[in-house]
Amino acid sequence: MMSKNGHNNPTFIDDSAVSDKATKRYSLELAEKGGKPAAVVAKDNGYDYNPYDNREVEHPTTNSETLFHLLKGSLGTGILAMPNAFRNAGYITGTIGTIIIGFICTYCIHQLVKAEYELCRRKKVPSMSYPIVAENALLEGPSFFHKFAPYISHVVNTFLLIYQLGCCCVYVVFVASNIKSIADFYLDEPVDVRLCMVIILLPLIFINWVRNLKYLAPFSTIANAITMVSFGIICYYIFREPFTTEDKVAAAPFSSFPLFFGTVLFALEAIGIILPLENEMKTPKNFGGSCGVLNVAMVLIVFLYSGMGLFGYLNYGAEVEGSITLNLPSKDILAQCVKGMLAFAIYITHGLACYVAIDITWNDYIVEKLSTQRSKLFWEYVVRTSMVLVTFLLAVAIPNLELFISLFGALCLSALGLAFPALIQICTHWYHREGIAKVWLLVSNCVLIIVGILGLVIGTSTSLTEIIATF
């Protein structure tokens, strides 16, 4: 789950000391632990100000807890789409590509965290959210970027909003597709997947009417347990028969690689939860480093995703579906149970995923324009219902899981996970690097920006072309 940010599960921290516009903070993961917003109180220690020493967190998380939250935020519907991603890349290209993309994503996350620390030190505030980091970075960079600083936070928010809505669309399509797969086995006539979406719509609206994360957190806990059990059963089906590379493509044509790129980005990136998790740590210094929480988590995530993608593709080949659950034998009761359990787990956590999109829209752009408390409550429910209807209508229009995942991965995460962190790094250190260090700063980050832009443009256009051709 993203958070103002990311997957899968982002949060914002009030940085009114840095920006006139306070950005509200939301943390899906920390809500499960009953966490409350950290007090953002800056203590003036002069030039030696250390943001880590000035963070006042009511319920700080340990290294192991942060690792668990990061793993949980990255493991979701994306991992079930990895075999399909490997179909678009080939089993050799897919394995190498996943590792390379994982390395680049990890590097960019490190850059973002370091930039946040440096900006917090200069501004003498304990923490910042992603949009506020971007705004202050542009103000620290070349004068050319200063005029864009007031708008960059809205750009980041827009990408975060689109990504979160995209995740919700994926949730709707995933749940409906798995319900259809189960229903088709027991009914004489195939069920239209759109009918399944209509059936689940009304309870989905009620779930998203829950206004307090405290009441949504138990659903996430239940879903996590169900997901772990389901993944174990899926692995049983994958590994119960010998693998073969016959009729499997080692390196697919480049024309389908953008679909692979978008899917892997969607699956791997949890950019939205990075800063909130680091900000809530008891020992935030341990988040980075060669053996820090981030590197350990990303190594495990890349290993799991590569394994699921590789062996899932070798097992099912060209017949692999947008979610590997749809390839499980329809006659097996155990397989039907897995589909039903995962559909239920994703369904009950839709409110957590949509909560972020609702918070961005409501708290940052709408609530300040309303006057009376009564009108605020009414319009909040209107916004919540509208968000669900938007994701529902998009899912009805394009009920294709693999294309949705690839589209939103390429469109949003190429920017949020690659291009923006690189731009932030350049601007943050523009006047503080000289010589070879400044050349490396420019070259390395410009390459990342180019990769991000190419991924966004080519990946999005390829996905849209496939969507048009399919529907």
Side-chain angles (χ1 to χ4, degrees):
M1 310 251 175
M2 313 202 237
S3 16
K4 269 187 175 183
N5 307 23
H7 213 356
N8 293 145
N9 314 274
T11 69
F12 271 36
I13 294 194
D14 188 342
D15 296 294
S16 54
V18 182
S19 173
D20 292 334
K21 180 175 179 183
T23 307
K24 195 160 178 172
R25 173 183 176 281
Y26 300 98
S27 178
L28 306 186
E29 291 77 19
L30 297 172
E32 298 176 27
K33 309 186 323 37
K36 297 181 179 179
V40 182
V41 181
K43 302 173 183 176
D44 190 357
N45 291 335
Y47 182 80
D48 295 329
Y49 179 86
N50 187 338
Y52 295 157
D53 295 336
N54 289 272
R55 290 179 184 171
E56 297 182 8
V57 182
E58 185 172 349
H59 299 287
T61 55
T62 63
N63 294 348
S64 57
E65 288 173 333
T66 305
L67 176 63
F68 175 77
H69 289 313
L70 186 53
L71 288 172
K72 183 180 64 177
S74 301
L75 295 175
T77 53
I79 191 172
L80 300 174
M82 284 302 295
N84 184 270
F86 272 59
R87 187 194 67 177
N88 292 318
Y91 59 87
I92 292 180
T93 308
T95 303
I96 297 173
T98 302
I99 294 172
I100 293 175
I101 293 173
F103 174 81
I104 294 174
C105 290
T106 306
Y107 175 80
C108 289
I109 292 172
H110 275 293
Q111 299 296 78
L112 180 62
V113 172
K114 290 176 181 178
E116 186 223 6
Y117 176 84
E118 179 62 20
L119 291 169
C120 285
R121 187 186 65 79
R122 295 178 193 172
K123 302 295 181 180
K124 296 183 174 60
V125 294
S127 59
M128 295 184 187
S129 62
Y130 195 164
I132 301 302
V133 169
E135 180 179 340
N136 282 275
L138 263 60
L139 290 173
E140 293 282 319
S143 57
F144 170 77
F145 290 108
H146 291 182
K147 58 185 177 182
F148 300 107
Y151 310 105
I152 189 65
S153 62
H154 299 295
V155 174
V156 173
N157 267 342
T158 299
F159 276 104
L160 289 170
L161 178 61
I162 295 172
Y163 173 66
Q164 288 300 139
L165 291 177
C167 287
C168 294
C169 292
V170 169
Y171 280 22
V172 173
V173 176
F174 178 87
V175 172
S177 298
N178 281 276
I179 292 175
K180 168 183 166 56
S181 179
I182 298 172
D184 285 349
F185 176 73
Y186 292 100
L187 301 178
D188 295 331
E189 296 292 331
V191 178
D192 190 332
V193 68
R194 293 177 173 88
L195 176 60
C196 297
M197 294 179 188
V198 172
I199 293 172
I200 66 175
L201 175 60
L202 189 59
L204 209 57
I205 292 175
F206 291 151
I207 289 175
N208 283 274
W209 278 4
V210 178
R211 302 172 64 230
N212 195 326
L213 274 178
K214 179 176 65 175
Y215 301 119
L216 290 174
F219 292 114
S220 181
T221 304
I222 295 171
N224 291 335
I226 293 174
T227 301
M228 291 299 104
V229 174
S230 300
F231 280 176
I233 298 174
I234 291 172
C235 289
Y236 158 74
Y237 278 105
I238 291 177
F239 291 102
R240 69 174 181 173
E241 296 178 0
F243 300 110
T244 176
T245 56
E246 294 181 9
D247 301 325
K248 311 298 190 306
V249 179
F254 180 77
S255 58
S256 62
F257 187 83
L259 296 175
F260 165 81
F261 180 79
T263 303
V264 174
L265 271 185
F266 182 94
L268 286 179
E269 276 283 17
I271 194 70
I273 64 172
I274 296 301
L275 294 185
L277 287 180
E278 191 263 355
N279 289 338
E280 293 285 343
M281 287 184 67
K282 182 184 297 184
T283 54
K285 292 181 181 179
N286 294 336
F287 188 79
S290 56
C291 295
V293 172
L294 177 60
N295 283 353
V296 172
M298 290 304 293
V299 167
L300 291 174
I301 290 168
V302 171
F303 174 78
L304 291 172
Y305 276 65
S306 299
M308 179 67 80
L310 175 62
F311 295 116
Y313 174 64
L314 291 179
N315 194 311
Y316 297 107
E319 302 300 320
V320 70
E321 300 282 352
S323 170
I324 196 172
T325 57
L326 303 177
N327 287 103
L328 302 181
S330 57
K331 296 181 180 180
D332 286 13
I333 296 297
L334 184 61
Q336 293 175 7
C337 289
V338 170
K339 296 175 186 179
M341 288 192 302
L342 281 174
F344 176 74
I346 295 298
Y347 187 71
I348 63 176
T349 54
H350 183 281
L352 287 169
C354 203
Y355 194 92
V356 177
I358 293 169
D359 282 339
I360 296 174
T361 305
W362 176 250
N363 289 294
D364 288 351
Y365 298 104
I366 295 180
V367 69
E368 59 189 24
K369 299 178 181 179
L370 301 175
S371 55
T372 65
Q373 186 63 33
R374 186 175 180 180
S375 65
K376 286 182 181 180
L377 185 61
F378 170 77
W379 285 109
E380 180 179 351
Y381 281 111
V382 171
V383 169
R384 290 176 176 275
T385 305
S386 299
M387 288 293 177
V388 177
L389 291 176
V390 167
T391 61
F392 168 77
L393 293 174
L394 283 173
V396 168
I398 313 170
N400 187 301
L401 194 61
E402 59 188 274
L403 295 180
F404 252 132
I405 290 176
S406 179
L407 172 63
F408 287 106
L411 176 62
C412 300
L413 295 177
S414 293
L416 292 172
L418 301 179
F420 288 164
L423 177 62
I424 288 170
Q425 182 74 356
I426 290 175
C427 291
T428 300
H429 299 287
W430 181 257
Y431 294 109
H432 301 268
R433 298 281 174 86
E434 296 179 352
I436 298 298
K438 190 164 188 175
V439 172
W440 171 250
L441 174 74
L442 284 173
V443 172
S444 61
N445 287 290
C446 283
V447 169
L448 289 174
I449 292 173
I450 292 171
V451 170
I453 293 174
L454 289 176
L456 189 154
V457 174
I458 298 175
T460 301
S461 61
T462 302
S463 298
L464 289 175
T465 301
E466 289 292 324
I467 289 173
I468 294 171
T470 303
F471 298 99

